[in-house]
Amino acid sequence: ILVVRWSVFVVGPAGSGKSEMERTLSKAQNLNGEKSTINYLNPKGVDRNELYGYMHPATREWKDGLISQIFRDLANCETVKHEWIVLDGDIDAEWIESMNTVMDDNKM
């Protein structure tokens, strides 16, 4: 599925094995010579501007949020083939809808 999609969302109740699955797949990729990294973030631990970034109203300068900074860092990394961003925590309608909009794109 990652051949045709930029992202995959794995959701489920606590204790269902999501974290173990992601760690196992990352280890398998590393053992196969395809370096992978994992970035953990709890989106409910910060507000929307801190998560996605915002335009400063007075200066009109863009201020990166945590997600945009992680995306920028991963985009500039040429040594890692697989990048994981784990949004760990309860799903909130506000941040998941925004994230779905950001990641809703087929690979060209």
Side-chain angles (χ1 to χ4, degrees):
I1 194 164
L2 292 175
V3 173
V4 295
R5 302 294 298 177
W6 287 110
S7 63
V8 173
F9 292 98
V10 179
V11 296
S16 64
K18 300 177 302 292
S19 296
E20 190 59 35
M21 180 270 318
E22 153 262 312
R23 282 191 296 268
T24 301
L25 183 54
S26 179
K27 286 179 187 176
Q29 289 169 333
N30 285 323
L31 289 171
N32 196 38
E34 299 178 354
K35 187 173 180 190
S36 69
T37 61
I38 304 171
N39 295 275
Y40 294 94
L41 174 63
N42 182 348
K44 301 258 317 196
V46 295
D47 68 31
R48 185 182 180 123
N49 286 346
E50 291 172 313
L51 184 61
Y52 292 107
Y54 64 96
M55 182 78 67
H56 191 280
T59 64
R60 307 293 295 162
E61 291 184 59
W62 176 255
K63 171 74 172 143
D64 275 342
L66 295 171
I67 290 285
S68 54
Q69 185 61 54
I70 290 171
F71 280 164
R72 188 179 318 282
D73 291 345
L74 294 176
N76 291 328
C77 181
E78 297 178 7
T79 61
V80 177
K81 183 170 181 173
H82 303 284
E83 298 97 2
W84 295 83
I85 302 173
V86 177
L87 303 176
D88 200 11
D90 295 334
I91 294 177
D92 178 87
E94 182 178 327
W95 73 258
I96 195 64
E97 191 60 36
S98 297
M99 184 55 66
N100 193 42
T101 301
V102 169
M103 302 311 292
D104 189 23
D105 222 5
N106 290 325
K107 283 188 176 181
M108 300 288 188

